[in-house]
Short mmCIF file of all heavy atoms in Angstrom, two decimals:
data_model
loop_
_atom_site.label_atom_id
_atom_site.label_comp_id
_atom_site.label_asym_id
_atom_site.label_seq_id
_atom_site.Cartn_x
_atom_site.Cartn_y
_atom_site.Cartn_z
N ILE A 1 4.96 -11.24 13.81
CA ILE A 1 4.80 -10.17 12.83
C ILE A 1 3.41 -10.32 12.23
O ILE A 1 3.04 -11.39 11.73
CB ILE A 1 5.85 -10.23 11.71
CG1 ILE A 1 7.26 -10.08 12.27
CG2 ILE A 1 5.58 -9.15 10.67
CD1 ILE A 1 7.64 -8.68 12.69
N TRP A 2 2.65 -9.23 12.28
CA TRP A 2 1.24 -9.24 11.85
C TRP A 2 1.14 -8.44 10.55
O TRP A 2 1.23 -7.21 10.55
CB TRP A 2 0.39 -8.61 12.94
CG TRP A 2 -1.05 -9.01 12.98
CD1 TRP A 2 -1.61 -9.94 13.79
CD2 TRP A 2 -2.14 -8.46 12.22
NE1 TRP A 2 -2.96 -10.02 13.60
CE2 TRP A 2 -3.32 -9.12 12.63
CE3 TRP A 2 -2.22 -7.48 11.25
CZ2 TRP A 2 -4.56 -8.82 12.09
CZ3 TRP A 2 -3.47 -7.19 10.69
CH2 TRP A 2 -4.63 -7.86 11.12
N PHE A 3 0.97 -9.16 9.44
CA PHE A 3 0.83 -8.52 8.14
C PHE A 3 -0.64 -8.28 7.85
O PHE A 3 -1.52 -8.84 8.51
CB PHE A 3 1.49 -9.38 7.07
CG PHE A 3 2.98 -9.52 7.24
CD1 PHE A 3 3.53 -10.69 7.77
CD2 PHE A 3 3.83 -8.49 6.89
CE1 PHE A 3 4.89 -10.81 7.94
CE2 PHE A 3 5.21 -8.60 7.06
CZ PHE A 3 5.74 -9.78 7.58
N ASP A 4 -0.92 -7.46 6.83
CA ASP A 4 -2.30 -7.00 6.63
C ASP A 4 -2.68 -6.95 5.16
O ASP A 4 -3.05 -5.91 4.64
CB ASP A 4 -2.48 -5.63 7.28
CG ASP A 4 -3.94 -5.25 7.43
OD1 ASP A 4 -4.81 -6.13 7.26
OD2 ASP A 4 -4.24 -4.08 7.73
N MET A 5 -2.58 -8.11 4.49
CA MET A 5 -3.13 -8.21 3.14
C MET A 5 -4.30 -9.17 3.20
O MET A 5 -4.14 -10.32 3.60
CB MET A 5 -2.08 -8.71 2.14
CG MET A 5 -2.60 -8.70 0.70
SD MET A 5 -1.33 -8.94 -0.55
CE MET A 5 -0.87 -10.62 -0.27
N TRP A 6 -5.47 -8.71 2.82
CA TRP A 6 -6.69 -9.48 3.03
C TRP A 6 -7.20 -10.16 1.77
O TRP A 6 -8.34 -10.59 1.71
CB TRP A 6 -7.78 -8.59 3.62
CG TRP A 6 -8.03 -7.34 2.86
CD1 TRP A 6 -8.95 -7.15 1.87
CD2 TRP A 6 -7.37 -6.08 3.03
NE1 TRP A 6 -8.90 -5.86 1.40
CE2 TRP A 6 -7.94 -5.18 2.10
CE3 TRP A 6 -6.35 -5.63 3.88
CZ2 TRP A 6 -7.52 -3.86 2.00
CZ3 TRP A 6 -5.93 -4.31 3.76
CH2 TRP A 6 -6.52 -3.46 2.84
N ILE A 7 -6.36 -10.23 0.74
CA ILE A 7 -6.68 -11.00 -0.44
C ILE A 7 -5.50 -11.91 -0.74
O ILE A 7 -4.37 -11.65 -0.31
CB ILE A 7 -6.98 -10.11 -1.67
CG1 ILE A 7 -5.75 -9.25 -2.02
CG2 ILE A 7 -8.20 -9.24 -1.42
CD1 ILE A 7 -5.93 -8.43 -3.29
N PRO A 8 -5.70 -13.02 -1.44
CA PRO A 8 -4.57 -13.88 -1.81
C PRO A 8 -3.56 -13.11 -2.67
O PRO A 8 -3.94 -12.23 -3.45
CB PRO A 8 -5.22 -15.02 -2.60
CG PRO A 8 -6.68 -14.96 -2.26
CD PRO A 8 -6.99 -13.54 -1.94
N TYR A 9 -2.29 -13.45 -2.54
CA TYR A 9 -1.28 -12.70 -3.29
C TYR A 9 -1.52 -12.76 -4.79
O TYR A 9 -1.14 -11.82 -5.52
CB TYR A 9 0.13 -13.21 -2.94
CG TYR A 9 0.50 -14.52 -3.60
CD1 TYR A 9 1.09 -14.55 -4.86
CD2 TYR A 9 0.26 -15.74 -2.97
CE1 TYR A 9 1.42 -15.76 -5.47
CE2 TYR A 9 0.58 -16.94 -3.56
CZ TYR A 9 1.17 -16.95 -4.81
OH TYR A 9 1.49 -18.13 -5.42
N GLN A 10 -2.16 -13.83 -5.28
CA GLN A 10 -2.41 -13.95 -6.72
C GLN A 10 -3.30 -12.84 -7.24
O GLN A 10 -3.29 -12.54 -8.43
CB GLN A 10 -3.05 -15.31 -7.05
CG GLN A 10 -2.15 -16.51 -6.75
CD GLN A 10 -2.42 -17.09 -5.38
OE1 GLN A 10 -2.82 -16.38 -4.46
NE2 GLN A 10 -2.21 -18.39 -5.24
N GLN A 11 -4.09 -12.24 -6.35
CA GLN A 11 -4.98 -11.16 -6.76
C GLN A 11 -4.38 -9.78 -6.51
O GLN A 11 -5.06 -8.76 -6.60
CB GLN A 11 -6.32 -11.28 -6.02
CG GLN A 11 -7.07 -12.57 -6.33
CD GLN A 11 -8.36 -12.68 -5.55
OE1 GLN A 11 -8.87 -11.70 -5.02
NE2 GLN A 11 -8.90 -13.89 -5.47
N SER A 12 -3.11 -9.75 -6.15
CA SER A 12 -2.44 -8.49 -5.87
C SER A 12 -1.23 -8.34 -6.78
O SER A 12 -0.95 -9.20 -7.62
CB SER A 12 -1.99 -8.46 -4.40
OG SER A 12 -0.85 -9.29 -4.22
N ILE A 13 -0.48 -7.29 -6.58
CA ILE A 13 0.74 -7.06 -7.34
C ILE A 13 1.91 -7.85 -6.79
O ILE A 13 2.93 -8.03 -7.45
CB ILE A 13 1.07 -5.55 -7.38
CG1 ILE A 13 2.11 -5.24 -8.46
CG2 ILE A 13 1.51 -5.07 -6.00
CD1 ILE A 13 2.33 -3.76 -8.69
N ILE A 14 1.77 -8.35 -5.56
CA ILE A 14 2.85 -9.07 -4.90
C ILE A 14 3.08 -10.42 -5.57
O ILE A 14 2.14 -11.11 -5.98
CB ILE A 14 2.54 -9.27 -3.40
CG1 ILE A 14 2.52 -7.91 -2.69
CG2 ILE A 14 3.56 -10.18 -2.73
CD1 ILE A 14 2.20 -8.00 -1.22
N LYS A 15 4.36 -10.82 -5.63
CA LYS A 15 4.72 -12.12 -6.17
C LYS A 15 5.07 -13.07 -5.01
O LYS A 15 5.54 -12.65 -3.96
CB LYS A 15 5.93 -11.99 -7.10
CG LYS A 15 5.68 -11.07 -8.28
CD LYS A 15 4.58 -11.61 -9.19
CE LYS A 15 4.37 -10.75 -10.42
NZ LYS A 15 3.62 -9.51 -10.11
N LYS A 16 4.84 -14.35 -5.25
CA LYS A 16 5.11 -15.36 -4.23
C LYS A 16 6.57 -15.31 -3.78
O LYS A 16 6.88 -15.47 -2.59
CB LYS A 16 4.76 -16.75 -4.75
CG LYS A 16 4.93 -17.85 -3.71
CD LYS A 16 4.49 -19.20 -4.26
CE LYS A 16 4.61 -20.28 -3.18
NZ LYS A 16 4.17 -21.61 -3.68
N GLU A 17 7.49 -15.06 -4.73
CA GLU A 17 8.91 -15.02 -4.38
C GLU A 17 9.19 -13.92 -3.36
O GLU A 17 10.06 -14.07 -2.49
CB GLU A 17 9.76 -14.79 -5.64
CG GLU A 17 9.64 -15.89 -6.69
CD GLU A 17 8.34 -15.83 -7.47
OE1 GLU A 17 7.85 -14.71 -7.73
OE2 GLU A 17 7.78 -16.91 -7.79
N GLN A 18 8.47 -12.80 -3.47
CA GLN A 18 8.67 -11.71 -2.52
C GLN A 18 8.20 -12.10 -1.13
O GLN A 18 8.84 -11.78 -0.13
CB GLN A 18 7.94 -10.46 -3.03
CG GLN A 18 8.53 -9.91 -4.33
CD GLN A 18 7.63 -8.88 -4.99
OE1 GLN A 18 6.40 -8.96 -4.91
NE2 GLN A 18 8.23 -7.92 -5.68
N LEU A 19 7.05 -12.79 -1.05
CA LEU A 19 6.54 -13.23 0.25
C LEU A 19 7.46 -14.27 0.87
O LEU A 19 7.72 -14.25 2.08
CB LEU A 19 5.13 -13.78 0.09
CG LEU A 19 4.07 -12.79 -0.40
CD1 LEU A 19 2.72 -13.48 -0.53
CD2 LEU A 19 3.97 -11.60 0.54
N LEU A 20 7.96 -15.18 0.07
CA LEU A 20 8.89 -16.19 0.59
C LEU A 20 10.20 -15.54 1.04
O LEU A 20 10.85 -16.03 1.98
CB LEU A 20 9.16 -17.25 -0.47
CG LEU A 20 7.96 -18.15 -0.82
CD1 LEU A 20 8.32 -19.12 -1.94
CD2 LEU A 20 7.48 -18.92 0.40
N GLN A 21 10.58 -14.45 0.42
CA GLN A 21 11.76 -13.69 0.87
C GLN A 21 11.54 -13.15 2.27
O GLN A 21 12.44 -13.20 3.12
CB GLN A 21 12.04 -12.55 -0.11
CG GLN A 21 13.28 -11.73 0.22
CD GLN A 21 13.45 -10.54 -0.71
OE1 GLN A 21 12.55 -10.21 -1.51
NE2 GLN A 21 14.59 -9.88 -0.63
N VAL A 22 10.32 -12.67 2.54
CA VAL A 22 9.98 -12.19 3.89
C VAL A 22 10.01 -13.34 4.89
O VAL A 22 10.56 -13.21 5.99
CB VAL A 22 8.59 -11.52 3.88
CG1 VAL A 22 8.11 -11.28 5.31
CG2 VAL A 22 8.65 -10.20 3.12
N VAL A 23 9.42 -14.46 4.53
CA VAL A 23 9.42 -15.62 5.42
C VAL A 23 10.85 -16.03 5.76
O VAL A 23 11.19 -16.28 6.93
CB VAL A 23 8.66 -16.80 4.78
CG1 VAL A 23 8.81 -18.06 5.63
CG2 VAL A 23 7.19 -16.46 4.60
N LYS A 24 11.70 -16.11 4.75
CA LYS A 24 13.09 -16.51 4.96
C LYS A 24 13.81 -15.55 5.90
O LYS A 24 14.55 -15.97 6.80
CB LYS A 24 13.82 -16.58 3.62
CG LYS A 24 15.26 -17.05 3.72
CD LYS A 24 15.91 -17.13 2.34
CE LYS A 24 17.36 -17.59 2.46
NZ LYS A 24 18.01 -17.66 1.11
N LEU A 25 13.56 -14.25 5.71
CA LEU A 25 14.19 -13.25 6.57
C LEU A 25 13.77 -13.42 8.03
O LEU A 25 14.61 -13.39 8.95
CB LEU A 25 13.81 -11.85 6.08
CG LEU A 25 14.41 -10.67 6.85
CD1 LEU A 25 15.91 -10.59 6.62
CD2 LEU A 25 13.72 -9.36 6.46
N ILE A 26 12.48 -13.61 8.25
CA ILE A 26 11.98 -13.78 9.62
C ILE A 26 12.51 -15.06 10.24
O ILE A 26 12.95 -15.08 11.40
CB ILE A 26 10.44 -13.77 9.63
CG1 ILE A 26 9.91 -12.40 9.18
CG2 ILE A 26 9.90 -14.12 11.02
CD1 ILE A 26 8.41 -12.36 8.98
N ARG A 27 12.51 -16.15 9.48
CA ARG A 27 13.00 -17.42 10.01
C ARG A 27 14.48 -17.36 10.36
O ARG A 27 14.94 -18.01 11.30
CB ARG A 27 12.74 -18.54 9.00
CG ARG A 27 11.28 -18.78 8.63
CD ARG A 27 10.42 -19.17 9.80
NE ARG A 27 9.10 -19.64 9.38
CZ ARG A 27 7.96 -19.28 9.94
NH1 ARG A 27 7.96 -18.42 10.95
NH2 ARG A 27 6.80 -19.76 9.52
N GLN A 28 15.24 -16.55 9.62
CA GLN A 28 16.68 -16.42 9.89
C GLN A 28 16.96 -15.54 11.10
O GLN A 28 17.77 -15.91 11.96
CB GLN A 28 17.39 -15.86 8.66
CG GLN A 28 17.52 -16.83 7.49
CD GLN A 28 18.19 -16.19 6.29
OE1 GLN A 28 18.27 -14.96 6.16
NE2 GLN A 28 18.65 -17.03 5.36
N LEU A 29 16.29 -14.40 11.17
CA LEU A 29 16.60 -13.43 12.22
C LEU A 29 15.86 -13.69 13.52
O LEU A 29 16.38 -13.40 14.61
CB LEU A 29 16.29 -12.01 11.73
CG LEU A 29 17.10 -11.52 10.53
CD1 LEU A 29 16.69 -10.11 10.14
CD2 LEU A 29 18.60 -11.57 10.84
N GLN A 30 14.62 -14.22 13.44
CA GLN A 30 13.80 -14.49 14.63
C GLN A 30 13.11 -15.84 14.43
O GLN A 30 11.91 -15.88 14.10
CB GLN A 30 12.78 -13.37 14.85
CG GLN A 30 13.36 -12.00 15.13
CD GLN A 30 13.52 -11.74 16.63
OE1 GLN A 30 13.12 -12.54 17.46
NE2 GLN A 30 14.13 -10.61 16.96
N PRO A 31 13.82 -16.95 14.63
CA PRO A 31 13.25 -18.27 14.33
C PRO A 31 11.96 -18.58 15.09
O PRO A 31 11.13 -19.36 14.60
CB PRO A 31 14.37 -19.24 14.74
CG PRO A 31 15.62 -18.43 14.69
CD PRO A 31 15.22 -17.04 15.09
N GLN A 32 11.75 -17.98 16.26
CA GLN A 32 10.56 -18.26 17.06
C GLN A 32 9.43 -17.27 16.79
O GLN A 32 8.35 -17.37 17.38
CB GLN A 32 10.91 -18.24 18.55
CG GLN A 32 11.91 -19.31 18.96
CD GLN A 32 11.43 -20.70 18.58
OE1 GLN A 32 10.31 -21.11 18.92
NE2 GLN A 32 12.28 -21.46 17.89
N CYS A 33 9.66 -16.31 15.91
CA CYS A 33 8.65 -15.29 15.60
C CYS A 33 7.54 -15.91 14.74
O CYS A 33 7.81 -16.58 13.74
CB CYS A 33 9.31 -14.13 14.87
SG CYS A 33 8.17 -12.81 14.40
N LEU A 34 6.28 -15.66 15.13
CA LEU A 34 5.14 -16.19 14.39
C LEU A 34 4.75 -15.25 13.25
O LEU A 34 4.91 -14.03 13.35
CB LEU A 34 3.95 -16.38 15.33
CG LEU A 34 4.18 -17.21 16.59
CD1 LEU A 34 2.88 -17.32 17.39
CD2 LEU A 34 4.72 -18.59 16.26
N ILE A 35 4.20 -15.83 12.19
CA ILE A 35 3.75 -15.08 11.02
C ILE A 35 2.27 -15.35 10.84
O ILE A 35 1.83 -16.51 10.87
CB ILE A 35 4.52 -15.52 9.76
CG1 ILE A 35 6.02 -15.31 9.93
CG2 ILE A 35 4.01 -14.75 8.53
CD1 ILE A 35 6.85 -15.89 8.80
N ASN A 36 1.49 -14.30 10.61
CA ASN A 36 0.04 -14.50 10.44
C ASN A 36 -0.33 -14.69 8.98
O ASN A 36 0.47 -14.43 8.06
CB ASN A 36 -0.75 -13.35 11.07
CG ASN A 36 -0.76 -12.10 10.22
OD1 ASN A 36 0.22 -11.78 9.55
ND2 ASN A 36 -1.86 -11.37 10.24
N SER A 37 -1.55 -15.14 8.75
CA SER A 37 -1.98 -15.54 7.41
C SER A 37 -2.19 -14.36 6.47
O SER A 37 -2.26 -14.55 5.25
CB SER A 37 -3.28 -16.36 7.50
OG SER A 37 -4.30 -15.61 8.13
N ARG A 38 -2.28 -13.15 6.98
CA ARG A 38 -2.46 -12.01 6.09
C ARG A 38 -1.15 -11.61 5.39
O ARG A 38 -1.09 -10.60 4.70
CB ARG A 38 -3.04 -10.82 6.85
CG ARG A 38 -4.51 -11.01 7.17
CD ARG A 38 -5.15 -9.69 7.51
NE ARG A 38 -6.44 -9.88 8.13
CZ ARG A 38 -7.13 -8.91 8.70
NH1 ARG A 38 -6.65 -7.67 8.74
NH2 ARG A 38 -8.30 -9.16 9.25
N LEU A 39 -0.12 -12.42 5.57
CA LEU A 39 1.05 -12.26 4.71
C LEU A 39 0.62 -12.42 3.26
O LEU A 39 1.17 -11.78 2.36
CB LEU A 39 2.10 -13.30 5.08
CG LEU A 39 3.36 -13.31 4.23
CD1 LEU A 39 4.17 -12.03 4.44
CD2 LEU A 39 4.22 -14.54 4.54
N GLY A 40 -0.37 -13.29 3.03
CA GLY A 40 -0.88 -13.50 1.68
C GLY A 40 -0.73 -14.91 1.18
O GLY A 40 -1.24 -15.26 0.13
#
């Protein structure tokens, strides 16, 4: 999964808990799916 946020989450409206929620979802449904750094 290729996300597209080009600034750290601290400089955006996104909260760390929301990003970790995405990570948890991906790890549960597709354990071998890679995540890129633009997640934030």
